Amino acid sequence: MAGDAPRAALIEDFLGRMVSPETIAAIRNLLARTKAVDWESLLGFFWLLGPSSLGLAADLYGIAPDGEARHKIVDFIEKTGGPQPGLLASLADKARPGLAREIVGILSRLPGDRGIPHLAAFVSFQSKEVKSEVIKALGRARHETAGRILAGFLNDPDEEIRIQAVMTLDPARGGARVRQVLGEASSRAFRKKSLDEKKALLAFLGRTRSAEALDFLRRRLLAAPLLASRASLEMRLAAVAGLESMATEEAVRALQRGAIGRAKKVREACEEALLRLPPADGTGP
């Protein structure tokens, strides 16, 4: 009918004004004066407003007095925002890491992995705990974008996040990811990384079981300069970790060669890796 459009516009305007900053301030004042808030009724009001009240619900999450109230708010956010995963991701804020973790969980649970692409919004997030939860969610996902988002964490300022990300990468989806890690492992900047991070990156290469990875790891292990530096020693030790994770006959043979080398630490690392692996057929290189 002709009058429907103006009426709808009036209703939309009314609902928009109901979720104004004044509404938030009024509810905050109410909570400051009393602990006996009927969250069921308050959330019933939010249900009436629909998605336009999601921002208000997110603001109230931080001032909700107990776990039960927060659980109800999260349930409202999940059911109301589920059809719009991009809107859900926009509710995450560095000032509300608790809610951000809840949103990561919601996005990871959406049917058909619909929320996984929106986890990219957390790559630049500041909270280490939140980023760790995102990496775990990406590791469980089967969506094609999960690996690309995980790769974004390889450049995170925090070493533990970088290590967690590379350990979570799916080696079966090698290809470009293998070339990316090979390029990084060949750079001068890689030598400045800690031994733990070097081991994690080269262990990922090993898990791919690719010919390029085998060639790279074997060459790094068997490169034995007369005047060995700490950087070259760590690279060889990291290559041992990579070959152990590869666990192929060719990798075992490379470790066997390393086990008879001159460098004591490399020799011992190879011997320990061989004890954890099944023997290769034959003993030749």
Side-chain angles (χ1 to χ4, degrees):
M1 294 176 63
D4 287 347
R7 188 179 299 112
L10 285 172
I11 294 173
E12 186 68 26
D13 178 65
F14 169 74
L15 293 177
R17 284 186 281 110
M18 289 299 292
V19 289
S20 67
E22 290 75 15
T23 304
I24 297 174
I27 296 176
R28 284 183 183 274
N29 290 334
L30 174 64
L31 293 175
R33 291 196 305 269
T34 178
K35 295 182 179 179
V37 176
D38 185 349
W39 288 95
E40 208 67 62
S41 298
L42 182 58
L43 288 171
F45 173 63
F46 287 174
W47 282 107
L48 175 65
L49 298 177
S52 62
S53 65
L54 281 170
L56 175 57
D59 284 331
L60 293 179
Y61 178 88
I63 58 175
D66 54 48
E68 182 181 358
R70 290 188 174 189
H71 175 75
K72 291 178 179 179
I73 291 173
V74 170
D75 182 62
F76 167 76
I77 290 175
E78 179 168 6
K79 291 177 179 176
T80 304
Q84 303 180 64
L87 181 57
L88 280 175
S90 71
L91 297 177
D93 187 278
K94 63 182 180 181
R96 299 187 296 248
L99 178 61
R101 287 195 296 271
E102 295 284 1
I103 290 174
V104 169
I106 293 171
L107 290 171
S108 67
R109 292 193 298 270
L110 291 179
D113 281 345
R114 289 188 301 109
I116 296 303
H118 299 276
L119 292 176
F122 295 88
V123 171
S124 59
F125 219 70
Q126 293 184 354
S127 169
K128 180 177 178 177
E129 290 74 17
V130 172
K131 288 187 288 190
S132 180
E133 290 300 316
V134 172
I135 292 171
K136 292 175 185 177
L138 291 169
R140 296 189 296 266
R142 292 294 176 263
H143 196 280
E144 59 183 7
T145 64
R148 290 199 294 272
I149 300 172
L150 269 174
F153 286 105
L154 298 182
N155 298 317
D156 193 86
D158 189 286
E159 179 184 290
E160 291 185 12
I161 290 297
R162 296 195 301 269
I163 290 175
Q164 183 186 358
V166 75
M167 291 178 67
T168 307
L169 284 172
D170 183 0
R173 296 177 179 269
R177 203 73 62 234
V178 172
R179 292 189 291 274
Q180 176 187 353
V181 175
L182 281 173
E184 183 173 350
S186 302
S187 68
R188 294 179 65 87
F190 187 76
R191 291 176 167 265
K192 299 179 182 179
K193 294 182 181 294
S194 72
L195 178 57
D196 286 342
E197 187 168 3
K198 289 173 184 172
K199 285 182 176 180
L201 281 160
L202 297 196
F204 164 73
L205 284 180
R207 292 195 301 274
T208 67
R209 295 190 167 189
S210 67
E212 305 100 308
L214 173 63
D215 180 64
F216 178 87
L217 294 170
R218 186 163 48 195
R219 284 189 290 107
R220 289 299 182 274
L221 171 62
L222 301 178
L226 291 175
L227 299 176
S229 64
R230 178 180 176 179
S232 64
L233 173 61
E234 288 190 350
M235 181 63 83
R236 297 183 71 191
L237 293 174
V240 172
L243 289 165
E244 181 180 355
S245 70
M246 183 171 279
T248 61
E249 290 188 8
E250 295 86 351
V252 169
R253 292 194 181 100
L255 289 169
Q256 289 171 339
R257 291 180 62 183
I260 57 175
R262 295 192 309 271
K264 181 181 179 181
K265 289 186 177 180
V266 175
R267 189 171 63 246
E268 291 176 345
C270 288
E271 291 171 351
E272 291 171 4
L274 287 167
L275 289 175
R276 294 187 289 264
L277 291 173
D281 294 335
T283 58

